[in-house]
Amino acid sequence: MYKNYLFDLYGTIIDIHTNEDKPSLWQTLSLYMNLQGADYTAQELKAIYRQTIANSTKYIFEQKLSEKKQNATPFEISEIEADLSAAIRNMYEMKGITPSDDQIADWALVMRTLSLEHIALFDGAKDMLKTLKNQGKRIYLLSNAQRLFTEPEMRMLDIYNLFDDIFYSSDIGFKKPSWHFYNSLIAKYDLMQSETVMVGNDWIADAWGAADYGIDSIYIHTEQSSEITGELPENCRQIKQISEVSLF
């Protein structure tokens, strides 16, 4: 029925559990930075991290507002995705350290490793992606995610090369359900709306984000899904297993 499949990642293809509030995470990260000459206590680092993420979001919002063309589709700051790499760089620079790109990438991986409690593919996810490719479908990733740790995780789970293209919100500066994030992918490949479907586990970001753009969606409720407090769009199908996607 469809030629183009847009996929969410976390909670849809990847089953993941993280905890960024663990005291041990910030204690280890502060020690990690202290060893590089950036003197932080655990509490200070946690607070500065959250502030730099907020600052990055505000900066990108103001930048995009200044670039916005007259009569273009409006957007709110809630649609903006922070740039983690810029936030990490800022934390080092606040302590007089100019980090290399490798240092920034390493920091992100250390943080992610410390926060991870579980990561694996959902049963049938990889086979489903392969089935779609064998059917000649175009497969894209449209994920609210930071490239710094998401790309290594996808490579580790051996699914990175199954996608025709990958759109991270950290690269685009917008996140689902933003019209602009959907448009970044659909406009690039000039996809026909009637031939395109969004697959995800978030009833707002994925189902309603797709509906607002004018495309169908396939919704799967997983442990990572938020509670549905309203109605799914009329053009949304609900499935129980990710493997069912290849039936549409």
Side-chain angles (χ1 to χ4, degrees), residues 18-27 46 49-50 111 114-115 117:
T18 62
N19 182 359
E20 294 183 358
D21 289 323
K22 292 185 291 188
S24 60
L25 181 154
W26 297 103
Q27 291 165 1
K46 184 177 181 179
Y49 171 75
R50 291 180 173 175
M111 180 189 183
L114 294 172
S115 70
E117 297 182 340

Side-chain angles (χ1 to χ4, degrees), residues 125-171:
K126 188 174 181 180
D127 288 340
M128 176 272 299
L129 294 173
K130 287 183 175 180
T131 296
L132 291 177
K133 287 194 74 70
N134 290 337
Q135 292 173 348
K137 310 296 185 180
R138 302 286 290 179
I139 305 172
Y140 304 96
L141 187 74
L142 190 70
S143 178
N144 290 354
Q146 295 286 333
R147 175 188 288 271
L148 283 175
F149 49 73
T150 300
E151 185 169 318
E153 289 170 355
M154 292 179 67
R155 292 187 183 279
M156 177 185 72
L157 295 170
D158 196 28
I159 58 171
Y160 184 82
N161 293 324
L162 293 177
F163 293 91
D164 292 289
D165 203 349
I166 294 173
F167 285 66
Y168 303 108
S169 56
S170 63
D171 292 350

Side-chain angles (χ1 to χ4, degrees), residues 3 14 32 42 67 79 83 105 112 119 222:
K3 294 182 179 180
I14 295 179
Y32 177 75
E67 297 169 353
E79 299 174 51
D83 180 1
R112 187 64 159 188
I119 184 169
T222 64

Side-chain angles (χ1 to χ4, degrees), residues 4-8 140 182 185-186 191 196-199 215:
N4 315 300
Y5 290 75
L6 319 184
F7 281 92
D8 173 55
Y140 304 96
Y182 279 89
L185 192 163
I186 292 172
L191 304 183
T196 304
V197 64
M198 177 72 207
V199 183
I215 61 176

Side-chain angles (χ1 to χ4, degrees), residues 13 124 152 167 192 236:
I13 293 174
F167 285 66
M192 290 186 62
C236 175

Side-chain angles (χ1 to χ4, degrees), residues 8-175:
D8 173 55
L9 184 64
Y10 296 115
T12 300
I13 293 174
I14 295 179
D15 181 12
I16 189 168
H17 300 273
T18 62
N19 182 359
E20 294 183 358
D21 289 323
K22 292 185 291 188
S24 60
L25 181 154
W26 297 103
Q27 291 165 1
T28 303
L29 270 177
S30 64
L31 175 59
Y32 177 75
M33 295 189 76
N34 287 341
L35 290 170
Q36 297 173 76
D39 186 17
Y40 280 107
T41 65
Q43 286 188 327
E44 179 188 12
L45 181 59
K46 184 177 181 179
I48 290 296
Y49 171 75
R50 291 180 173 175
Q51 185 59 54
T52 53
I53 290 294
N55 291 344
S56 174
T57 302
K58 183 179 179 181
Y59 173 79
I60 294 171
F61 176 65
E62 293 173 347
Q63 186 179 49
K64 288 187 177 297
L65 276 181
S66 68
E67 297 169 353
K68 181 177 174 291
K69 296 180 181 179
Q70 189 174 11
N71 299 323
T73 302
F75 55 86
E76 304 291 336
I77 194 169
S78 60
E79 299 174 51
I80 300 298
E81 181 69 275
D83 180 1
L84 179 59
S85 62
I88 297 170
R89 183 181 301 278
N90 183 253
M91 289 190 296
Y92 276 103
E93 290 177 345
M94 290 176 69
K95 296 296 184 177
I97 305 295
T98 301
S100 66
D101 290 342
D102 285 343
Q103 275 181 289
I104 291 172
D106 288 345
W107 191 98
L109 283 181
V110 169
M111 180 189 183
R112 187 64 159 188
T113 301
L114 294 172
S115 70
L116 272 175
E117 297 182 340
H118 172 78
I119 184 169
L121 293 175
F122 280 108
D123 290 343
K126 188 174 181 180
D127 288 340
M128 176 272 299
L129 294 173
K130 287 183 175 180
T131 296
L132 291 177
K133 287 194 74 70
N134 290 337
Q135 292 173 348
K137 310 296 185 180
R138 302 286 290 179
I139 305 172
Y140 304 96
L141 187 74
L142 190 70
S143 178
N144 290 354
Q146 295 286 333
R147 175 188 288 271
L148 283 175
F149 49 73
T150 300
E151 185 169 318
E153 289 170 355
M154 292 179 67
R155 292 187 183 279
M156 177 185 72
L157 295 170
D158 196 28
I159 58 171
Y160 184 82
N161 293 324
L162 293 177
F163 293 91
D164 292 289
D165 203 349
I166 294 173
F167 285 66
Y168 303 108
S169 56
S170 63
D171 292 350
I172 306 301
F174 288 104
K175 60 186 177 182

